[in-house]
Amino acid sequence: MPWAPGWGSGTVAEPRVDYDRIAPGYNRRFAAGSTPGVAAALCSLAGILAANARPLAILEVGCGTGHWLAGLAGSGRLCGLDLSAGMLYQARQRSAALDLVRGRAGQLPFPDGAFDLVYCVNALHHFDDRPAFVAEARRVLRAGGALAVAGMDPRRAWAGWYVYDYFPGTYEADLARFPSWGTVADWLIAAGFGPLAWQTVEEIHEARRGRAVLADPFLDKDTTSQLTLLDEGAYAAGLKRIEAVLAAAESAGQTVPFATDLTLDILVGRVPAPSGRGKADLARP
């Protein structure tokens, strides 16, 4: 899989995932329920902010089908922004209470100080201009509010992910298109965010054994951007590699494991509040 030299910088020009096309089946990726820690961290952060604010105004940028917004139901006004009309259509089917807007992360169509919490989950690497998104998040946040960025850094895939093993080039492409947490922290500091807090919210350690791997929703080309970006030939070749390993193991009377060892983290930066206000600790979102 080819990748462009600029992917790891603030401004990217990566091949586009056609989210309008894959939107109808995208929720399959959430069927396994393998990331409760992300939802818990967002709910905890909303609770901390609610101690200092009026009923919260929350914005998810790159909201997709509204999965993470649904987990914050009851926290206040919930807004979602996405570039994909197809994804927003799916989100509207989930809940009529969501305030959904089509737009770009680097040009948020909201007034200054409109929100108490802005967040994105597994989406930052898709944004055209990441530093512009961070600056825009700072602009639309009220004093005492917070920006939370949650997701994966492939540099922290300690033991690996079988997708990287069987689909050559996907790991190298992820290294190029996913910024490191240090880089993201630099963007937040440059945008004027005050104290930053970073923590691991999910450690995924699992192994699908034998043909059970073929039922993994993350092996579906239309639910995993690492695979969606592959052309049909490269994707088919990866599946053939898996089938060959399965066949060889079965011939030897063995069951081969397909491991997933990934870490999801969250980085939170707050907007400095006026002295004496908004002192709730965000160090443990």
Side-chain angles (χ1 to χ4, degrees), residues 39-54 56 58 71-72 74-76 78 116-117 119 282 285:
L42 291 173
C43 287
S44 176
L45 178 55
I48 291 170
L49 292 170
N52 297 321
R54 65 204 65 69
L56 296 179
I58 298 173
L72 290 169
S75 298
L78 300 180
D116 302 290
L117 172 61
Y119 73 91
L282 297 185

Side-chain angles (χ1 to χ4, degrees), residues 135-176:
E136 279 287 271
R138 173 65 178 82
R139 178 184 64 79
V140 303
L141 280 166
R142 297 168 179 150
L147 168 64
V149 179
M152 179 186 78
D153 181 350
R155 299 158 190 82
R156 284 170 52 75
W158 303 123
W161 182 23
Y162 76 88
V163 167
Y164 290 149
D165 297 332
Y166 290 91
F167 297 88
T170 53
Y171 180 66
E172 292 80 5
D174 274 4
L175 287 177

Side-chain angles (χ1 to χ4, degrees), residues 61-175:
V61 180
C63 67
T65 62
H67 172 80
W68 302 108
L69 281 171
L72 290 169
S75 298
R77 177 192 173 207
L78 300 180
C79 302
L81 178 138
D82 204 284
L83 187 59
S84 166
M87 286 289 189
L88 292 175
Y89 175 82
Q90 296 298 321
R92 290 189 183 95
Q93 310 317 300
R94 184 186 295 276
S95 173
L98 300 178
D99 184 0
L100 301 171
V101 177
R102 189 180 183 203
R104 292 185 178 277
Q107 298 173 315
L108 298 179
F110 304 103
D112 295 359
F115 297 98
D116 302 290
L117 172 61
V118 176
Y119 73 91
C120 65
V121 179
N122 295 323
L124 184 67
H125 57 286
H126 289 302
F127 298 165
D128 290 332
D129 190 334
R130 293 83 171 270
F133 157 66
V134 173
E136 279 287 271
R138 173 65 178 82
R139 178 184 64 79
V140 303
L141 280 166
R142 297 168 179 150
L147 168 64
V149 179
M152 179 186 78
D153 181 350
R155 299 158 190 82
R156 284 170 52 75
W158 303 123
W161 182 23
Y162 76 88
V163 167
Y164 290 149
D165 297 332
Y166 290 91
F167 297 88
T170 53
Y171 180 66
E172 292 80 5
D174 274 4
L175 287 177

